[in-house]
Amino acid sequence: MSEPTHVTRDGRRIVVAASVERAGRLLAARRTRPAALAGGWELPGGKVEPGEDPSAALVRELREELAVDAVVVGRVAGPLHGDWPLDDGHVLRVLRVHLAPDSEPAPGIAHDVVRWLSPDELGDVAWLEPDVVPARAAAGRLPTWVDFPSGAVAGEGRVLRVDRLDADRVGVVVDRTPFHPLDHGWPDQPGDAGTLDGARVHDCLTGTVDDDGQLLVGGAVDVRRGDPSRTWVVVHLLDAAEAPVPGALVALAVDGVARSALSRGHSACHLAALALNQTTARFWSKEPSRRDSRGFPFLDQIAIQVSRITPDGAYDAYRCGRSLRKAGFDAEAFLAERDDVARDAEQLLAGWLATGATSVVDTGGDPTLTSRRTWRCDVPGGPAVIPCGGTHVPDLGQLPRIRVEYLPTDEGFEQLTHVG
Ligand SMILES: [Zn+2]
């Protein structure tokens, strides 16, 4: 006979509850019954039935109570073999849940109101007693809110954890930060430096937290960006001697001069990529697999190997192999005329810069680190739109001039972009 699924090994009945996360917020639901609980807020869920898998039970409960399609992506581990204490006969198992994109919770009979709480709104509702601590832990598993897409360089955050990384350094995670971290998968823009409550932040990296609470940082992150089984966090690197206390509210200040230089480099990099697409369009003999937002063959995206943003510049390496030739791009002809193409690109760029057009990063309303963000700038001839996780200038008036250079390499070519 298989083991019962609705009780723990020590015979306690399992109640499942959902930490429903969306765009950095946690779902709270207000109970209508029984009378003793009415008006109290909870993480929605219910009892696991005999023979039922706890995850399946939670998906069922969420469909019955809130009419949503849910996917279990992990758990919020508690102190009782991963569960949370309720009473002698029951434990609470809190599972991390994502909803289908168009699924909106609609309270039925058991609840009358739901709210999406940001980490600092957690105390705004009266949680039922057994849910107070698990809800706080669930909020601690929300991804870091980031303010750098708007250009912010200062802010406040609550310290969620401090991890010793080596003999000298600690990694500090806060609930909200203006710092831009290096991306672990596409490390184009360096992490910000600055200060945290006056202590030097030497670097800033991307990290993940798993269901066991383990923090992986930078190159040690072993999953793809946004993997829902992990919590995605910004990790600020400080001297161990200056580590803040978990729970403290700290002031965060990015080195604004360095950030501005990287933002100029990043915007110039994207503009140069679109200018490259346009000025090399005549070297394509077939319909390309992708076109950019302005309608030109997307050579930049099709052939890019490496991109590095530097202060007031960028380095991009492109591969021109057999597959690119087969796709219809004549790299030899382009490289033979590369100086003329560079001159055309610079002229095009100068025309764009002269408009002083605004440049924005659209987060789609998701303030978290791994939201799908898009950089947009309305230049003549069609908007410049590129998916981007970095920082940018607020308008093209910040860029006096952009120079580009194309250099042949064994693999293909590299593009050097300079601002000024
Ligand atoms: Zn970018």
Side-chain angles (χ1 to χ4, degrees):
M1 200 180 136
S2 60
E3 280 192 39
T5 57
H6 64 300
V7 292
T8 60
R9 280 202 187 129
D10 55 1
R12 293 205 255 188
R13 184 82 186 263
I14 300 170
V15 178
V16 281
S19 169
V20 187
E21 303 172 11
R22 178 181 277 173
R25 293 172 187 271
L26 179 69
L27 184 72
R30 192 169 72 183
R31 286 200 69 99
T32 55
R33 63 181 191 186
L37 305 181
W41 292 77
E42 67 169 6
L43 301 173
K47 280 191 180 137
V48 179
E49 297 300 332
E52 197 177 27
D53 171 71
S55 294
L58 187 57
V59 169
R60 173 183 55 73
E61 288 283 353
L62 291 171
R63 194 173 297 134
E64 288 171 4
E65 292 189 347
L66 297 170
V68 287
D69 290 326
V71 181
V72 172
V73 296
R75 64 169 185 180
V76 179
L80 290 178
H81 304 291
D83 294 327
W84 298 86
L86 273 183
D87 56 42
D88 286 351
H90 297 84
V91 294
L92 188 68
R93 181 164 298 174
V94 180
L95 299 173
R96 296 179 56 234
V97 164
H98 285 187
L99 301 184
D102 51 355
S103 207
E104 284 302 329
I109 297 165
H111 305 98
D112 60 351
V113 187
V114 295
R115 272 186 70 178
W116 290 102
L117 301 173
S118 65
D120 58 1
E121 288 170 340
L122 201 72
D124 291 3
V125 302
W127 291 96
L128 291 169
E129 208 280 322
D131 283 39
V132 171
V133 178
R136 196 182 307 139
R141 286 294 306 275
L142 294 171
T144 309
W145 285 38
V146 294
D147 291 313
F148 61 77
S150 71
V153 289
E156 246 180 12
R158 177 91 48 197
V159 177
L160 296 179
R161 59 188 292 161
V162 177
D163 288 65
R164 193 81 181 209
L165 301 181
D166 59 36
D168 307 317
R169 294 282 160 91
V170 289
V172 178
V173 176
V174 297
D175 60 356
R176 182 170 190 163
T177 184
F179 278 73
H180 170 265
L182 182 73
D183 189 83
H184 77 297
W186 184 250
D188 58 348
Q189 181 173 339
D192 282 327
T195 58
L196 186 153
D197 256 5
R200 186 93 200 128
V201 176
H202 297 281
D203 198 359
C204 197
L205 298 171
T206 297
T208 65
V209 177
D210 66 18
D211 286 348
D212 296 322
Q214 194 192 0
L215 174 74
L216 297 179
V217 181
V221 174
D222 55 354
V223 289
R224 283 177 55 182
R225 176 187 170 89
D227 183 314
S229 71
R230 305 286 179 85
T231 297
W232 291 81
V233 296
V234 175
V235 183
H236 309 76
L237 267 53
L238 276 72
D239 287 339
E242 299 195 283
V245 183
L249 195 62
V250 293
L252 298 135
V254 174
D255 178 339
V257 173
R259 159 73 77 74
S260 292
L262 289 171
S263 293
R264 289 193 296 269
H266 207 140
S267 295
C269 178
H270 284 342
L271 292 167
L274 292 167
L276 174 72
N277 291 345
Q278 181 167 342
T279 50
T280 54
R282 60 191 168 97
F283 300 107
W284 287 87
S285 59
K286 296 179 190 168
E287 176 57 29
S289 57
R290 268 166 282 175
R291 286 179 177 268
D292 66 23
S293 62
R294 309 176 71 253
F296 294 99
F298 214 149
L299 176 65
D300 172 72
Q301 204 176 74
I302 295 168
I304 190 90
Q305 294 295 298
V306 173
S307 183
R308 292 286 180 270
I309 309 301
T310 55
D312 286 305
Y315 165 87
D316 293 279
Y318 297 90
R319 185 177 154 77
C320 302
R322 199 176 307 151
S323 62
L324 189 65
R325 186 177 317 149
K326 264 191 170 163
F329 184 72
D330 188 346
E332 275 176 31
F334 157 56
L335 287 172
E337 297 177 42
R338 64 182 185 273
D339 292 339
D340 289 338
V341 177
R343 231 178 352 257
D344 291 348
E346 287 179 355
Q347 208 161 29
L348 189 59
L349 287 162
W352 294 350
L353 298 188
T355 67
T358 55
S359 141
V360 294
V361 175
D362 179 7
T363 64
D366 183 343
T368 64
L369 175 58
T370 55
S371 72
R372 289 175 189 275
R373 295 185 288 274
T374 308
W375 171 77
R376 184 186 173 106
C377 183
D378 285 303
V379 294
V385 181
I386 291 183
C388 180
T391 68
H392 287 275
V393 295
D395 62 75
L396 300 189
Q398 312 296 312
L399 303 171
R401 184 182 164 201
I402 298 174
R403 288 175 290 135
V404 293
E405 214 178 333
Y406 310 121
L407 304 172
T409 62
D410 291 345
E411 295 271 278
F413 68 98
E414 48 195 33
Q415 170 178 261
L416 303 180
T417 306
H418 305 279
V419 176

